[in-house]
Amino acid sequence: MGKGARKKGPKKDSTRKPKVRDVFVGRPFEGLAAEPELIALREFVPSATARLSLKDSPDRTVTLATVLPMAAAGFVRTDGEIFVGMQVQTRSSDISRDLGRSLRWALEAKEGDVLSVPDTTSPPEQGERLQDLLVPEAELDITLHKDFSWWLPEDADATGDIAMSLERANAAIMPTERIGPAAYWVEAGDKAHLRWVWPEQENVLLQALARLSAAGEIGLGEGSRYAGSFRAHGLLVPVWDLDPEAHAREWEEPAGRLGERLTAAVKSLDSEPLNATERRARDGLVGRQLTLR
């Protein structure tokens, strides 16, 4: 008998811990009303904050942020304000669990404490995902910032690594405006885009977009063009190219009207399947997948 055949696994008296299977969660924020906004903050909004609504600690104030100093997962400012970061360097198979663990750490941390990276290695436990810690029906009241000066308390000066991180972060910001729920105008160099996170299932949203495309109603009007879409944490994010000479606020009303048309198209799918023209339009949209840079 060869050596391989004799290996029957660990001995009975082995202290080896059983391996924990880490299951990938493709839609980590599902079940939260704030799911589209959470995806936007995680993926492409540069500098923004929002207060969290906690289930069991309604009197505690915790601020969710896009990016923290040194891309930290959490920190407590010297004035006692608590922050949890969305855009971090490492992740596990379940981003909601990573953020939940960072949130629990932040609630017990002291002034000046920093959580450099989220806990992505501990075995999963009950009650540690965002869905367990946040009020599920609560929306996020987003505050956009033109820079990262909010990292510091008022009248405080950045020094050392914080100053360097602040300088780099400010230099990387692309001008961004929120023009509707989970809808963000972004100026990217000499181009401007609308990136809009929708809560519908990918197939449903594609069909609705196809219905609008076949009817010639998928755009926001003159100076706009549907560019394609990208996937982010289980949802589809449509993107439109916009006239960069127009101010972000000029697109609020057209985006609102487009949102109404798209919502109506989603509802119409329950009673009216796509026709042949709309199916061809859907096939064309499927091939227009984008990659954010």
Side-chain angles (χ1 to χ4, degrees), residues 38-58:
L38 288 168
I39 291 174
L41 295 181
R42 170 81 181 189
E43 289 301 306
F44 56 81
V45 177
S47 180
T49 55
R51 295 295 172 86
L52 293 176
S53 299
L54 305 181
K55 249 186 207 179
D56 300 325
S57 305

Side-chain angles (χ1 to χ4, degrees), residues 29 32-41 139 181-182 184 197-199 235:
F29 306 124
L32 294 172
E35 179 182 19
E37 296 287 2
L38 288 168
I39 291 174
L41 295 181
E139 301 284 356
Y184 291 85
V197 188
W198 276 73
L235 295 184

Side-chain angles (χ1 to χ4, degrees), residues 99-158:
L99 287 164
R101 288 173 174 173
S102 297
L103 176 55
R104 292 201 308 183
W105 172 91
L107 290 172
E108 299 176 358
K110 300 176 181 178
E111 292 180 13
D113 286 352
V114 177
L115 179 65
S116 298
V117 295
D119 177 4
T120 61
T121 59
S122 297
E125 296 180 1
Q126 292 292 327
E128 61 182 2
R129 306 183 75 240
L130 282 186
Q131 287 84 341
D132 303 316
L133 303 173
L134 302 183
V135 177
E137 64 273 13
E139 301 284 356
L140 288 180
D141 184 10
I142 308 293
T143 300
L144 288 176
H145 305 275
K146 296 186 182 300
D147 57 27
F148 288 94
S149 58
W150 52 268
W151 283 357
L152 305 170
E154 291 185 14
D155 302 324
D157 295 324

